[in-house]
Amino acid sequence: MTNVPRRREARDRRRSSGGRGRASIALVALVVGAAAGCAPGDDIPRTASGRPDFNGIWAALGNAYWDVEPHMARPALAMQEGPVVPVPATEVVALGAVGSVPSGQGIVVGGSIPYLPEALERRDENRERWLERDPEIRCYLPGVPRANYMHLPFQIFQSESKFFIAYEYAGAVRDIYLEDPGPPQVDSWMGQSVGRWEEDTFVVTVTGFNGQTWFDRAGNHHSYRLTVTERWTMLGPDHLMYEATMEDPETFSEPWTIRLPLYRNVDPDARLGQFKCVPFVEELMYGHLRRNPIR
């Protein structure tokens, strides 16, 4: 009888060990499964012609729209000298935590943008004068690739002969040509997009920028000579990998790339909203022309 408790204790240890073993196996299986999800699978939705079907509402997660490079959290984008350390600029003090900047791991492959010396100085100046210069503040169109990782979603409309993207922010749109129409006739905020398929990856070359858009809220910029090469690759039914390579000999010492996943909104009632912000900034841009300005 004295050996019964010991036998029970040994049995309980074996059961506990077996449970941990099964949990470990399950964890390994989960990790392996997640890794396998980084490559296109058999469950990718396809069009009648067999192309990956991108139709739907998509959005990015994370904080790249604040700063595409890795960054720490900070009190505000616009700062001023304080009694001891810099403090938020007067214009954003009242926003409190709403005006602060969350941290982000960045989406730039390699971590940093390879600026030319003068362009880096311009980036730093942009940061200091963010309230005056960021085109988003005045509701100008966001450009490419910025439009794809902003805090608002976008919708892709795809058929065998058309590929169209509508963005919630500012009503921005992109009609992606599937046949090259030649050089852009005019420079624009969103540029001219020409797409082609490389197996299951949709590759889009974007040129014809006006040089006035930014990559984020942190002052990262480019010139009108920017060329963006996008690669859209579906990983599964509701995930795709987005890559964009930037080339601009006036701004960067070499091409550089961003990479991030995008996620489909699976809510059956999901609709693309409207954020046509032009009327929202009229007071900012033209309020000083009032006979009696309100600020």
Side-chain angles (χ1 to χ4, degrees):
M1 296 293 293
T2 57
N3 292 331
V4 171
R6 293 181 179 177
R7 289 197 297 270
R8 289 177 177 172
E9 183 179 349
R11 180 188 62 195
D12 291 342
R13 283 199 301 269
R14 289 194 299 271
R15 287 179 176 175
S16 177
S17 176
R20 288 194 298 270
R22 288 190 294 273
S24 299
I25 293 172
L27 179 60
V28 170
L30 179 62
V31 172
V32 171
C38 291
D42 295 334
D43 55 349
I44 291 177
R46 296 183 180 274
T47 64
S49 65
R51 299 292 190 192
D53 188 347
F54 291 95
N55 282 292
I57 297 176
W58 300 85
L61 298 179
N63 299 318
Y65 65 94
W66 290 92
D67 190 341
V68 295
E69 295 181 303
H71 60 278
M72 300 291 290
R74 53 188 185 272
L77 282 168
M79 304 291 289
Q80 63 183 338
E81 291 297 324
V84 180
V85 296
V87 298
T90 303
E91 296 88 340
V92 296
V93 166
L95 293 176
V98 175
S100 61
V101 181
S103 64
Q105 63 184 12
I107 58 174
V108 178
V109 176
S112 61
I113 299 173
Y115 279 108
L116 293 170
E118 290 186 2
L120 182 59
E121 292 179 6
R122 174 65 182 272
R123 193 280 308 273
D124 294 342
E125 185 180 291
N126 285 343
R127 289 185 176 180
E128 293 178 2
R129 303 178 64 179
W130 168 71
L131 284 167
E132 304 170 29
R133 292 187 175 181
D134 187 348
E136 181 191 3
I137 291 176
R138 287 168 171 73
C139 191
Y140 294 130
L141 296 179
V144 180
R146 187 178 187 179
N148 297 320
Y149 47 81
M150 294 187 76
H151 57 296
L152 298 174
F154 60 90
Q155 186 166 1
I156 295 177
F157 299 87
Q158 174 190 356
S159 70
E160 301 304 329
S161 59
K162 297 288 184 180
F163 201 103
F164 184 86
I165 306 179
Y167 297 91
E168 185 164 321
Y169 180 81
V173 296
R174 294 172 65 191
D175 189 354
I176 300 177
Y177 295 103
L178 300 182
E179 294 185 6
D180 191 345
Q185 296 183 6
V186 295
D187 293 338
S188 63
W189 291 91
M190 300 299 289
Q192 175 179 283
S193 298
V194 180
R196 67 184 189 280
W197 288 97
E198 290 184 0
E199 297 183 349
D200 281 349
T201 296
F202 190 52
V203 181
V204 183
T205 302
V206 194
T207 56
F209 294 104
N210 62 13
Q212 299 183 58
T213 61
W214 285 7
F215 294 109
D216 51 26
R217 295 176 174 177
N220 288 303
H221 66 102
H222 61 86
S223 78
Y224 74 96
R225 296 182 64 184
L226 175 70
T227 295
V228 179
T229 303
E230 302 175 294
R231 300 182 65 86
W232 303 71
T233 306
M234 188 166 285
L235 304 180
D238 305 312
H239 305 83
L240 64 84
M241 185 60 69
Y242 175 78
E243 294 185 7
T245 298
M246 271 59 70
E247 299 178 72
D248 181 351
E250 285 197 9
T251 311
F252 312 118
S253 60
E254 61 184 0
W256 58 281
T257 300
I258 61 171
R259 181 182 299 123
L260 70 152
L262 298 173
Y263 303 87
R264 189 199 303 271
N265 190 330
V266 296
D267 183 349
D269 296 323
R271 299 291 185 274
L272 194 69
Q274 291 190 4
F275 187 69
K276 297 184 177 181
C277 49
V278 170
F280 305 159
V281 298
E282 288 179 350
E283 193 62 39
L284 170 68
M285 299 179 68
Y286 309 116
H288 65 284
L289 299 177
R290 290 179 181 273
R291 177 175 300 176
N292 298 306
I294 61 176
R295 65 181 179 90

